[in-house]
Amino acid sequence: MERREIYLAGGCFWGVEAYYQRVRGILDTETGYANGNKEQTSYRQLSQSGHAETVKLVYDVHQISLAEIVDRYLRVIDPFSLNRQGNDVGTQYRTGIYYVREEDRRVAEAFLSYVERTEGRKTVVELEELRHFIPAEKIHQDYLRKYPEGYCHIGLSEAQKALYPGEEVPSRTELRQKLSREAYEVTQEAATEKPGSSCYLHHTQEGIYVDIVTGQPLFSTADQFDAGCGWPSFTKGITTDAMEYRGDFSFGMQRTEVKSREGGSHLGHVFEDGPQKEGGLRYCINGAALRFIPKERMKEEGYERLLPYV
């Protein structure tokens, strides 16, 4: 496990905290006040101290990437609303991404630039190095866990929806026409391709792998490694919600099957013998279940928003 921190301001911190508490890979949350002009403040002094209601997120980088955290953030706040989110108005409710590592700034910049290009207007999200973070009073910690009926400007159910669901699954007849025989047998009948046969086994080109059936993004080459097992291997999925897991007791073995979450395609299995410095998991995946999209073609094929994941 490798713990890192990022600090997000997105209006009332009750909802921002509750949302991320529902996301896999988030280890701890703490509400507080950040990036004001004083070293001390309180809930009642925010209009004078200039702090923003902020949530400190502690996450396991081996489970969730900062790219996913920022991606999710920009989906649940309004990045064009100045000093207002939901029903709350004031500078303490402004939006902001406050970082402690310079490389985190570049990830956030990439997403903000994408949103501005696609929407044709400038965001008002502060992107600054963290300063003067002060934990909020006890009443504000885990507020919506203690008071589930409390006010929330964020749709918490969004945390359970796939970020990139892909296209609708074709019928079996259409799939037989669309896919090669091997790809059909692997994705629909849980077959296993011959070891060493995948063209992605020793792949070095940057890009992403998507479900060959639906186009749902599954893996990034940033997480690919050579496991020496005969199949393409990864340390984690491109997002925490890309796949679903099921017990597999076939052939007298106890394994964990990996399937694409939205399309239900059989992909392979995940084992706990991967690189320890990367979290210890090895996603052993059939290349026949994947389609590779090079980094330079991601925009053309509609995956531009995923560029920061690569």
Side-chain angles (χ1 to χ4, degrees):
M1 181 184 299
E2 183 178 343
R3 301 164 70 95
R4 291 185 186 171
E5 299 174 2
I6 192 70
Y7 296 73
L8 302 179
C12 176
F13 48 21
W14 297 343
V16 177
E17 179 183 46
Y19 173 82
Y20 280 102
Q21 286 176 337
R22 290 163 167 75
V23 177
R24 188 165 64 87
I26 302 298
L27 304 176
D28 192 24
T29 62
E30 182 178 31
T31 56
Y33 314 113
N35 286 48
N37 51 42
K38 297 180 180 180
E39 293 185 2
Q40 295 297 326
T41 193
S42 68
Y43 186 74
R44 298 186 181 280
Q45 298 173 320
L46 294 179
S47 59
Q48 290 78 44
S49 69
H51 287 73
E53 289 196 11
T54 301
V55 178
K56 172 185 177 181
L57 299 179
V58 179
Y59 64 99
D60 180 2
V61 71
H62 299 319
Q63 293 188 58
I64 187 171
S65 64
L66 179 65
E68 181 177 346
I69 291 173
V70 175
D71 196 352
R72 288 179 175 275
Y73 168 77
L74 290 173
R75 293 168 186 262
V76 297
I77 58 103
D78 182 349
F80 304 104
S81 180
L82 181 63
N83 299 329
R84 177 169 188 165
Q85 293 292 309
N87 297 327
D88 299 308
V89 181
T91 57
Q92 67 267 40
Y93 299 115
R94 66 187 185 272
T95 53
I97 301 172
Y98 307 127
Y99 57 90
V100 295
R101 303 165 71 248
E102 181 60 31
E103 61 191 83
D104 293 349
R105 177 187 182 91
R106 294 192 290 272
V107 173
E109 282 179 335
F111 276 105
L112 290 172
S113 295
Y114 170 81
V115 170
E116 290 173 354
R117 287 196 307 275
T118 55
E119 295 293 330
R121 48 183 173 150
K122 189 75 174 175
T123 64
V124 294
V125 178
E126 287 185 341
L127 179 56
E128 300 176 351
E129 187 174 2
L130 178 74
R131 66 179 190 277
H132 300 161
F133 179 76
I134 301 158
E137 296 80 357
K138 187 175 180 180
I139 183 65
H140 296 297
Q141 306 296 336
D142 302 313
Y143 188 87
L144 291 178
R145 283 180 174 173
K146 294 181 287 191
Y147 307 102
E149 302 304 318
Y151 166 73
C152 182
H153 67 295
I154 289 176
L156 300 183
S157 62
E158 293 298 309
Q160 274 69 58
K161 296 180 181 179
L163 290 177
Y164 299 95
E167 300 175 356
E168 185 177 350
V169 180
S171 68
R172 286 297 180 101
T173 299
E174 292 172 316
L175 282 176
R176 288 187 183 277
Q177 296 173 345
K178 173 184 177 180
L179 303 178
S180 69
R181 179 177 179 180
E182 181 181 47
Y184 182 89
E185 291 176 349
V186 166
T187 59
Q188 306 305 305
E189 300 174 349
T192 300
E193 68 187 9
K194 184 179 178 180
S197 64
S198 175
C199 60
Y200 302 140
L201 187 58
H202 303 295
H203 212 205
T204 57
Q205 190 176 9
E206 289 187 314
I208 63 173
Y209 295 95
V210 303
D211 181 356
I212 198 170
V213 172
T214 66
Q216 180 188 6
L218 299 173
F219 297 100
S220 166
T221 53
D223 304 307
Q224 187 170 6
F225 70 103
D226 186 355
C229 62
W231 290 274
S233 299
F234 306 86
T235 56
K236 67 175 182 291
I238 194 167
T239 57
T240 56
D241 59 6
M243 289 164 283
E244 60 180 18
Y245 307 88
R246 299 181 181 179
D248 180 358
F249 305 97
S250 60
F251 304 107
M253 295 183 285
Q254 184 174 341
R255 298 177 294 173
T256 300
E257 181 189 15
V258 181
K259 306 185 70 152
S260 61
R261 174 177 165 179
E262 298 300 304
S265 298
H266 171 77
L267 304 175
H269 296 84
V270 60
F271 303 95
E272 296 182 356
D273 58 2
Q276 290 303 307
K277 65 178 182 178
E278 301 295 336
L281 295 182
R282 173 174 61 94
Y283 283 80
C284 184
I285 304 300
N286 291 281
L290 307 175
R291 182 170 75 89
F292 179 69
I293 301 174
K295 185 176 181 179
E296 59 270 21
R297 289 182 57 85
M298 286 173 61
K299 180 178 179 180
E300 178 183 341
E301 297 210 23
Y303 295 95
E304 182 183 5
R305 188 178 178 116
L306 284 143
L307 281 168
Y309 289 88
V310 178

